[in-house]
């Protein structure tokens, strides 16, 4: 048995204990995690500082360094997130259907954990805690595999959480970290179907697509974020400029940031007069089609065909002009990743057409795509943003980390 197989075996054993632990015990474990992360945050910050220094020396882009870095404020936010999960209703054991059949059998459907959830993610140490907290509250053991850039941060976070679990009377193996960040180990985890019930990749499009292609266990695809903002001919242009700036610039490295601007060609010049002063503050590079270049001149650069499908994660924006709403919808459905799409318009009927026709997990009218987030949607922390249409779509909170079983009460019936 390999080291990872043993880790899977221990996680599976822990999952059976956790699945019946009850809400009070799970909440006590989460509170212990919140306390240890607060009381020993200096250890976590020190480990993260080593990661950031190594990443900076390796030439990691500023936007990715921002994703990697922890601060006192960010740790406080992570701890607050854990406590928000404590306050959320526990979905486990909830019966959402119960009926009596003509033969007298009483058949119900009860919420249960998925079992063992494996999560492969990139250089975001906050995911280590966010994912563990949601898995614990929903009764799932988790195996976490982060990127090499955050390995010191992740090891320390896992160490602290495992100590808190033992303090609360639960197996430490309810949360475990794959300490080896090699591709070979990641590949082995993707095929650990004897122990892993579902695999969730979190990161860029390349990671997610690679995992979906290779994995031998069920995969929930999350986070592929080629998001669009469409400025309609009947838009409030000041509002549109503010929405675009927020969607692109407030945190460009995250999956709900806008990557492509679509603007109706008749109002392009008027819109750019409003939007450019805001984008210029962040030195946003604009990669434009021919019509947009004629308006922007040397403020833009010519777009390549690949720009229409790019998830930059940086201060770069693809810009394309369209004839009308229908062309915008067709372009989004052809090039979007099913994450978050927005229209800015004062026309009610155009807004409804956009909501109906755009194929995405979250579709906005006159609001920034940056709101696609479990906390903003009232779900608490999230495990990721699912871009699929199967078991879960959009922000994945506690309920999306559950399945169900049928429970049947009889009185001697036979068939």
């Amino acid at each position: 048995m390999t080291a990872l197989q043993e880790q899977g075996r221990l996680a599976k054993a822990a999952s059976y204990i956790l699945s019946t632990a009850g809400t009070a015990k799970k909440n006590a474990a989460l509170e212990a995690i919140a306390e240890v992360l607060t009381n020993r945050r200096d250890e976590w910050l020190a480990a993260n500082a080593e990661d950031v220094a190594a990443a900076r020396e390796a030439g990691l882009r500023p936007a990715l360094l921002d994703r990697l870095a922890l601060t006192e404020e960010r740790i406080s936010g992570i701890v607050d997130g854990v406590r928000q999960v404590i306050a959320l209703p526990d979905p486990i054991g909830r019966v959402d259907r119960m009926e009596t059949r003509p033969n007298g059998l009483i058949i119900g459907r009860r919420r249960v954990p998925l079992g063992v959830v494996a999560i492969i993610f990139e250089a975001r140490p906050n995911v280590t805690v966010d994912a563990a907290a949601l898995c614990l509250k929903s009764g799932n053991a988790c195996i976490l595999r982060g990127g090499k850039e955050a390995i010191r941060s992740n090891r320390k976070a896992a160490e602290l959480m495992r100590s808190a679990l033992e303090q609360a009377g639960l197996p430490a193996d309810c949360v475990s970290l794959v300490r080896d960040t090699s591709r070979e180990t990641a590949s082995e985890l993707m095929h650990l179907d004897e122990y892993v019930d579902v695999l969730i990749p979190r990161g860029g499009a390349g990671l997610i697509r690679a995992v979906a292609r290779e994995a031998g266990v069920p995969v929930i695809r999350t986070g592929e974020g080629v998001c669009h903002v469409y400025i309609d001919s009947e838009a409030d242009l000041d509002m549109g400029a503010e929405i675009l700036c927020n969607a692109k610039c407030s945190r460009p490295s995250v999956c709900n940031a806008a990557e492509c601007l679509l603007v109706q060609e008749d109002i392009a010049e008027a819109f750019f007069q409003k939007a450019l002063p805001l984008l210029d503050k962040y030195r946003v590079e604009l990669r434009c089609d021919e019509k947009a270049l004629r308006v922007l001149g040397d403020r833009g650069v010519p777009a390549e065909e690949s720009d229409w499908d790019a998830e930059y994660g940086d201060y770069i924006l693809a810009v394309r002009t369209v004839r009308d709403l229908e062309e915008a919808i067709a372009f989004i459905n052809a090039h979007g990743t099913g994450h978050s799409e927005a229209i800015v318009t004062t026309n009610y009927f155009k807004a409804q057409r956009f909501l109906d026709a755009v194929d995405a997990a979250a579709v906005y009218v006159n609001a920034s795509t940056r709101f696609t987030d479990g906390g903003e949607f009232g779900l608490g922390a999230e495990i990721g943003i699912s871009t699929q249409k199967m078991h879960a779509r959009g922000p994945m909170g506690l309920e999306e980390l559950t399945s169900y079983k049928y429970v049947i009460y009889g009185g001697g019936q036979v068939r």
Side-chain angles (χ1 to χ4, degrees):
M1 180 175 282
T2 68
L4 191 57
Q5 286 173 327
E6 176 64 9
Q7 190 172 349
R9 185 189 69 80
L10 292 170
K12 178 64 81 173
S15 74
Y16 293 130
I17 297 171
L18 183 59
S19 68
T20 59
T23 304
K25 195 158 195 173
K26 291 185 292 186
N27 283 347
L30 289 167
E31 181 57 38
I33 286 172
E35 289 178 4
V36 75
L37 292 176
T38 299
N39 296 336
R40 297 173 63 181
R41 63 186 178 277
D42 289 346
E43 297 176 40
W44 200 14
L45 286 168
N48 180 252
E50 292 182 31
D51 283 333
V52 171
R56 186 175 288 114
E57 187 174 339
L60 203 68
R61 290 185 288 121
L64 297 180
L65 283 172
D66 176 63
R67 275 187 165 193
L68 174 62
L70 289 173
T71 63
E72 292 268 1
E73 183 180 5
R74 287 185 179 179
I75 289 178
S76 295
I78 291 166
V79 169
D80 287 345
V82 174
R83 292 197 165 113
Q84 287 169 15
V85 172
I86 293 173
L88 292 172
D90 188 347
I92 300 304
R94 183 189 306 155
V95 177
D96 58 15
R97 182 184 300 172
M98 183 71 76
E99 62 179 33
T100 302
R101 300 293 299 154
N103 63 3
L105 287 178
I106 301 171
I107 301 178
R109 195 169 75 173
R110 179 188 295 168
R111 285 278 155 195
V112 297
L114 294 171
V116 177
V117 177
I119 302 155
I120 296 179
F121 56 101
E122 294 176 335
R124 299 199 43 192
N126 63 296
V127 174
T128 311
V129 177
D130 292 345
L134 281 166
C135 286
L136 285 168
K137 184 64 179 268
S138 57
N140 297 291
C142 61
I143 300 175
L144 307 169
R145 194 274 187 186
K148 65 179 184 297
E149 295 85 0
I151 187 59
R152 301 168 187 84
S153 307
N154 292 339
R155 284 175 178 169
K156 178 55 66 174
E159 173 194 326
L160 296 176
M161 288 190 291
R162 286 168 65 85
S163 69
L165 285 166
E166 290 184 324
Q167 175 189 329
L170 286 172
D173 291 303
C174 291
V175 174
S176 61
L177 177 76
V178 179
R179 299 176 69 84
D180 176 9
T181 60
S182 69
R183 289 181 179 271
E184 291 76 17
T185 304
S187 179
E188 184 182 358
L189 180 60
M190 293 180 211
H191 294 89
L192 209 63
D193 55 335
E194 184 177 358
Y195 303 113
V196 173
D197 295 285
V198 67
L199 175 61
I200 302 175
R202 284 192 60 172
L207 168 72
I208 293 161
R209 291 169 188 171
V211 170
R213 279 195 306 268
E214 182 178 343
V217 298
V219 174
I220 299 176
R221 296 173 67 145
T222 70
E224 291 179 86
V226 179
C227 305
H228 300 75
V229 174
Y230 168 55
I231 308 298
D232 178 58
S233 60
E234 298 179 71
D236 178 323
L237 298 186
D238 288 304
M239 176 194 293
E242 292 286 349
I243 286 172
L244 175 65
C245 183
N246 178 264
K248 175 73 263 183
C249 303
S250 60
R251 199 170 178 194
S253 62
V254 294
C255 62
N256 58 21
E259 302 290 14
C260 184
L261 165 68
L262 301 177
V263 57
Q264 204 276 336
E265 58 190 12
D266 293 342
I267 52 92
E269 185 171 357
F271 176 70
F272 286 126
Q273 288 175 0
K274 304 285 187 179
L276 280 179
L278 302 181
L279 298 176
D280 286 346
K281 293 178 183 178
Y282 299 89
R283 299 179 181 177
V284 177
E285 179 182 327
L286 304 177
R287 299 185 181 179
C288 308
D289 70 351
E290 290 184 9
K291 290 181 180 178
L293 274 178
R294 284 201 290 270
V295 174
L296 290 168
D298 58 8
R299 178 60 183 84
V301 298
E304 303 287 342
E305 191 61 33
S306 60
D307 284 308
W308 311 127
D309 301 290
E311 185 175 7
Y312 302 112
D314 206 343
Y315 291 106
I316 303 170
L317 184 68
V319 180
R320 188 180 183 95
T321 55
V322 293
R323 291 185 306 276
D324 54 24
L325 172 64
E326 293 305 317
E327 185 179 347
I329 291 170
F331 185 86
I332 290 170
N333 286 341
H335 295 275
T337 53
H339 194 296
S340 300
E341 310 292 357
I343 182 174
V344 181
T345 186
T346 59
N347 185 306
Y348 170 83
F349 298 101
K350 288 183 178 180
Q352 293 307 305
R353 171 64 180 159
F354 191 86
L355 290 174
D356 291 341
V358 167
D359 185 13
V363 187
Y364 292 83
V365 175
N366 297 330
S368 170
T369 57
R370 288 281 288 109
F371 285 101
T372 307
D373 173 87
E376 296 293 338
F377 281 18
L379 305 175
E382 69 189 27
I383 205 79
I385 310 292
S386 170
T387 55
Q388 296 183 165
K389 301 181 183 179
M390 304 284 285
H391 152 69
R393 195 178 195 192
M396 291 181 60
L398 292 176
E399 187 164 324
E400 287 72 28
L401 286 170
T402 68
S403 182
Y404 54 82
K405 67 168 64 169
Y406 284 95
V407 293
I408 302 97
Y409 297 92
Q413 288 90 337
V414 295
R415 183 178 178 184

